Amino acid sequence: MSARRKKFLTVWMVGVLLGLGLVLYAYQGPVSANPAAPAAPKPFDPVAAAKKWNKPPPPPPAKENPDGTPWVPVDQVAALKRAHEVPPLVVKTSEESQRQRRLRLGDKMPKLADMKHPYLVLDNPMVNKDGDLYEAVRFMHKKHAAVLEGQCFTCHHAKPAAKDASETTRCVACHQNSFNPELPGRLGLKAALHRQCMGCHEKRKQGPVGCTDCHAKKVPDHRKLVKLPDKPGPLEVTKECLRCHQDAANHLQNAAHWQWKGPSPFTVEGEKRIDMGKATNTINNFCVALPSNWPRCTSCHAGYGWSNAEFDFNDQSRMDCLVCHDTTGTYSKVPTAAGWPFLQLDLKKIAQSVGHPSRKNCGDCHFQGGGGDAVKHGDMNGILYYPSKSCDVHMGGMDFACQECHKTRNHKISGRSLSLPVAEGPRTCQDCHTNKPHNGNSLLDHHLNRHVEHLFCVTCHSPVYAKCRATKTWWDWSKAGHKERKPKKDRYGMPDYDWKKGEFLWKESMKPAYAWYNGKVERVLLGDKIDTSKVVDITKPVGGFRDPASRIYPFKLMEGKQAADAVNKLLLVPHLYGPGGFWATIGKTKTPVPDKVIDQAWNKAFAKGMAESIKVNPNNKGLKPYSGQYQWVQTRMYWGLTHETMPAKAALGCAQCHESLAKDKTCCRCHKDERHVDFKKLAHRGTDFQWMKKQGRDVHELIGKTDYLNFKALGYKGDPIVYGGRLKKLPLASTIDRECK
Amino acid sequence: MELNRRRFLGLTGAALGAGALGKPSRVSAARAYQPPPDAYGCLVDLSVCVGCRKCEQACNQVNHLPEPERPFDDLTVLDDKRRPGPEAFTVINRYYTGRRDERNQMAPTFVKVQCMHCQDPACASACIVGALTKKPNGAVHYDVDKCIGCRYCMVACPFQIPAYEYHDPLTPRVRKCTFCFERISKQGGKPGCAQVCPVEAITFGKRSELIKLARQKMVDDPGRYQPYIYGEKEVGGTSWLYISREPFAKMGFLKLPNQPMPHLTETIQHGIFSYMWAPLSLFALLGGAMAVFNRKRDQGEDKS
């Protein structure tokens, strides 16, 4: 080897070694890469938090009406009573063919309007005796009749031989116990129902055919199955649950209720992301955001101990099964303990009585969001634990549990909201009620069904929100901190101020804001630049007058003032709860609290809040540490209203929106004058605000309204009956001005 | 006449054959087995079964069988063809026979497999200790206290149903569908599978009535069924009967003779042993042969 070459190699190797050394020196491991990371924080102590909270777990909600009478889901009770009746067995059926039957009946064919029982529950002890694996099925009798266009004989296929027997004799009259030796070949009730339902659904390729598409599975008695020592800890309970239900844990691990993030297919520019959610980057104008406030916020997490950014979402042993599956109504989490339950609870008893979730399980978080009952959602509050039928027809009239609409598969729960980006499956009213939900087959139904293209059901079927309990509509953080200010009670008995949170407005029986909505939502997320000179829409529905996919939706508008970074133009995350947080700082200060102290407390809270936000969202380029200057901006959130649907007869009537009809006396505006049609009965019924007022609701301003939706604000020239619709003109629009005689 | 080994065997065989075939009419009349006249049965309508596996689940429960490896609501189990075993007395198999539905998709047919409870069961005939017996109510009943574990029943069964607990070295049992013997012995009792079936694909009743019902179904819905009741005549008839939309041969149903299996075997066996004629003639033959040989030997000795 030549000396020249040797020298070259030596230099080269020294260079490589130096480079390697430099790289090793610069690399300090993935965690410590962030120079601002402090030493490991003190681990969260749930027992101390529970002791500090120092209140007993709340009792289960009372199963009674506001006046103290026992709560009864009227429609469900009536349907169950009917379902349990066993009429005498019809031995002989008519031998007539369907054709002969039709000929015989002629005009006397049973009609939709003759239907006495629009809602049935298919639950007969006779069926349960032969295998009791599933819960009873709810059956929309009238809807099925409507879909079959009034062909009652499709299901009522035979008639008892007796002359005076009803043409639409109920199933159980002929189909009772199976394998009756007297009647070979006569199906039992269970088989008759299954064959009729599944046969038709399969033939028409419409309707459910799987077992759990109609039924909920019965939960076996867990008293013998669950083996726990006395006074078990929450983690022991989870371990015992997972002994049999490992699958459930695997499913929950990827579900939104565990991850608090997930796919966001309906968020503009977030369609393909799977990382959005409260866990990472969503923000609101209630307590703003999760980072730095974990132990308080995660008391609603289906897990134990999410107290900082380092929570391990792969650790299935920390899942909280009981919060959703307790049926005793006693399970409760300490509001400040990162999801850990109250120490006083008998977890063994609770674990031994697990079952399907009820409104209590879902409601404890979803009714109580935003730090208290009825704060967040305009259409969900503690009333819905046991609502009256006029408050919510599904939950109050028919005792629906949440998951009966929000169908759940593998712990992924269908439904979506405007407030959060995560969606795990679609759910609309039409899934059950079809695209022609007004199925009475009358003249009015025809007109109403045409509305479905332009209006979301709840727009008419729940004309006011928060109708049974006032909800928060304004939250001004800029006023927070003044411990000396005494809160006043408003007319609903709600406080107007809380030094921790600021100033509030509450409203009961509020008329919603209406907007076009096609399902997509524009969001302001952590790290998104905002225009601080305007009202910032944190969530906003997408849609427009000319967009055929858009419909008019009702919204609760939540407005308020919150902090933004005056330099970086970002919404700020305040560190509210916990040591060093805003509440702790002000809490220690003597009253009256000087503005300067409040200012300092905010600065400290924002610095910490933003630092933690960056930690949770390391790849979020927009997020910047707090600049040191904040300003108050007005923000607004749209909250969709889907619950609290009222009974059909309480929906908005024609004349309540269509001003033009208010003065009419007949249908002559569009139709040839037909005096036998009772126009008044058709057009002038509707929501009876007068009655609601008598019930004590705050609806005084809504009485006598004739332009409820405000067509002009929605983009119409005016009442579409007069000025035409948005996509096409009404055929008789030119004749609108003719005089009715 | 020189009697060598080959000739001897030939003679013996001929004698035995003559014995077996000699008077068949008399001998079969001696096998006076009559199936129970008032037996229960089950009629499985394969055109109705939806393959939900609830019958498997009910069977598991009423017979206190061990928890299956995969749950009963896991329908992917149907991707494989299974056989009943010691831990599942009945299984559902899925067959694609070529039938297509209105959307031109392959339509499955589900077949329930379990002990057929033959009217004249081969297993009971083969059982040397009488542990398997055909009961008046139709069930082919297994008495574990009598069983000695010879497993002849498993060899004898034309449907290959009885299974053996090979995993249990000390007290293994033969396992098969019991027709829920205890349950159907009670007034109004039904087999677990038939009771749970959500669509009554299984109809439980008197066998004679079920055959009538099956024929009626074929008349009422012409074209829906193959004009054949599987189990009506197979191996002398079975308590479990099947009607189907598809040809049975496409769904794993065996083509079996109409004669009961025990007919041939018992005819031979009983024929051989009636009046002890076969042993007697054998000994007579042997005696005769001995006499012939002895005489020849004596003559030979005389010559020398």
Side-chain angles (χ1 to χ4, degrees), chain A residues 131-175:
Chain A
D132 205 9
L133 298 166
Y134 294 97
E135 305 278 358
V137 173
R138 300 177 187 276
F139 180 63
M140 298 167 80
H141 189 196
K142 191 171 177 191
K143 175 197 121 173
H144 280 82
V147 169
L148 293 168
E149 288 167 342
Q151 299 288 326
C152 304
F153 296 165
T154 312
C155 299
H156 296 277
H157 55 95
K159 171 187 177 291
K163 273 237 162 73
D164 57 341
S166 160
E167 291 291 339
T168 51
T169 303
R170 52 208 283 198
C171 312
V172 70
C174 297
H175 299 283

Side-chain angles (χ1 to χ4, degrees), chain A residues 316-328:
Chain A
Q316 295 181 344
S317 74
R318 294 201 164 231
M319 286 177 177
D320 183 354
C321 311
L322 301 179
V323 70
C324 298
H325 293 286
D326 163 43
T327 61
T328 64

Side-chain angles (χ1 to χ4, degrees), chain A residues 372-375 469-472 487-497 504-508:
Chain A
D373 191 31
V375 170
R469 187 168 284 175
T471 186
K472 204 174 270 187
K488 286 194 207 93
K489 291 265 163 94
D490 66 5
R491 57 184 152 159
Y492 314 112
M494 306 307 287
D496 72 331
Y497 186 75
F504 314 128
L505 283 179
W506 300 77
K507 182 73 177 84
E508 182 226 74

Side-chain angles (χ1 to χ4, degrees), chain B residues 154-277:
Chain B
M154 293 169 67
V155 182
C157 176
F159 300 100
Q160 303 162 22
I161 292 295
Y164 197 61
E165 290 178 328
Y166 287 107
H167 60 268
D168 184 350
L170 294 176
T171 56
R173 292 168 293 180
V174 169
R175 303 294 267 162
K176 69 167 198 69
C177 163
T178 63
F179 206 171
C180 287
F181 176 71
E182 266 85 40
R183 289 164 66 91
I184 66 168
S185 300
K186 280 183 219 141
Q187 181 66 34
K190 305 161 195 170
C193 53
Q195 184 167 23
V196 84
C197 179
V199 289
E200 274 182 40
I202 310 164
T203 310
F204 173 72
K206 294 278 185 234
R207 185 175 184 271
S208 50
E209 288 292 333
L210 292 179
I211 290 173
K212 269 190 235 162
L213 176 65
R215 295 238 164 82
Q216 190 60 45
K217 280 188 170 194
M218 288 169 189
V219 171
D220 288 348
D221 201 346
R224 184 182 173 99
Y225 298 102
Q226 298 286 324
Y228 191 76
I229 307 172
Y230 189 91
E232 185 189 7
K233 298 208 174 75
E234 270 72 16
V235 292
T238 56
S239 287
W240 278 69
L241 305 162
Y242 287 79
I243 51 174
S244 165
R245 198 199 299 260
E246 317 305 314
F248 286 101
K250 286 187 179 177
M251 296 177 297
F253 284 87
L254 298 170
K255 183 128 187 68
L256 292 168
N258 286 350
Q259 209 176 39
M261 286 295 155
H263 189 84
L264 182 65
T265 52
E266 285 190 19
T267 305
I268 294 172
Q269 286 255 316
H270 294 186
I272 290 170
F273 289 103
S274 60
Y275 306 115
M276 291 291 283
W277 70 265

Side-chain angles (χ1 to χ4, degrees), chain A residues 129-131 133-134 177-179 184-192 194-195 198 202-203 205 211 217, chain B residues 45 48 50 52 54 57 61 73 101-103 190 194-204 209 213 217:
Chain A
K129 195 179 68 193
D130 281 352
L133 298 166
Y134 294 97
N177 286 313
S178 52
F179 315 137
R186 177 79 68 85
L187 292 177
L189 181 59
K190 178 168 66 170
H194 277 123
R195 281 214 211 170
M198 289 164 74
E202 239 155 36
K203 200 167 127 199
K205 299 282 172 218
C211 305
K217 269 190 202 166
Chain B
D45 187 341
V48 169
V50 292
C52 67
K54 288 287 170 295
Q57 187 173 1
Q61 273 168 10
D73 49 11
D101 65 10
E102 306 89 78
R103 286 183 175 178
K190 305 161 195 170
Q195 184 167 23
V196 84
C197 179
V199 289
E200 274 182 40
I202 310 164
T203 310
F204 173 72
E209 288 292 333
L213 176 65
K217 280 188 170 194

